[in-house]
Amino acid sequence: MATDELSPRELLSKPPGAPELTDRPWTVRWDLVDGSAEELVADLLPPETEFSTSGSTGTPRSWFRTDGQLLDEARLLAGLVADTRPEAVVSFAPPRHVYGLLASVLVPAVLGVPVWYVPRFGSLPSTRHRRWAVVAIPWTFRILGRRRAWLESAERLAFVHSTAVLPRSAVDLLSGLEAKASLVEVFGSTETGGVAYRRWASDAEAWHLFPDVEFAGDGGGPSQEEAPLVVRSPRIARPEEGTAGPEHRMDDHVRRVGRREFAFAGRRTRIVNVNGRRLDLDLMEERLLAAVDCDDLACVPVPDEFTGEHFDLLLVPGRTGAPDPEALRKAIEGLACRPRSVRTVERIDRSETGKLRRVQSAQPHPEGVHR
């Protein structure tokens, strides 16, 4: 697929969700801009930009962010990789989402380096650049795992990942790249923008609030209790029907582990309680993906007449057909709780960033129903 070279003005004159920005590969040479690329962006950005939530936790809603909010966050994100001295950016994050617009469009401008946007079936750039910042979403790591020549040609790879639990494929990829690669994860939402970050390590747990973000409430210290994450920030977006508030309650539960640090306990909509056992469905999906040969799978929360709530396992067969029954059985037995049922579907409806949206109609899998 050919790559379109866009000027900064062409790029920023289109809405973030325009198909030519999200469905086709493109590049922008911020390094060739006369003067400051960051100042040019400040001149070209509209006063407000509209973003929509993905629909993974309810009806999609529109939220508006000002040009100042976007630039402030772009500077914060650029600061996370600046010490690696990237010569260029390759991004897999669609600009229609706030993370994608920031990391695919604005961060390269702040860094003053060229950027290549690669949609799911696009080709990786072939250039003289050897030091890369890589803007990743969950499927990125699977794609790059099959592009060894490109990885080996790089001198430095600084990954930035947001929007979801870090997949096992990322851990495998980073472990194989050793010292030439690093990864920083960003924690946030459409409503709040980036809230916190952490540097990847095998034992990483604590998230650090960005400098302009604070815990809302009494400002207490560490606690073993889980509670919804409520933050105060000047970058909270404005809802379509009102004005931006000084703080926002997120759809995430955390434990405070320091004055400005927290441990993530799970998204409220991705946690179910089955017979008194608390289950994080995101983590269960990751364990299954590492053990089951399939194109995709999802653990979906469902109501249950006996336990109140439970979950079903949806499977999308791979090119060779359904997963091996014995491998699937062993993978399920390794979970903290068996799914209520295992079903085969043609596809799982996800946003571009990997979040589960709606459940498709499904047929029972030969593995049957599990209690």
Side-chain angles (χ1 to χ4, degrees), residues 301-320:
V302 291
D304 186 270
E305 61 180 311
F306 299 107
T307 63
E309 54 186 6
H310 215 295
F311 73 98
D312 290 346
L313 172 59
L314 305 184
L315 289 162
V316 179
R319 281 175 287 185
T320 59

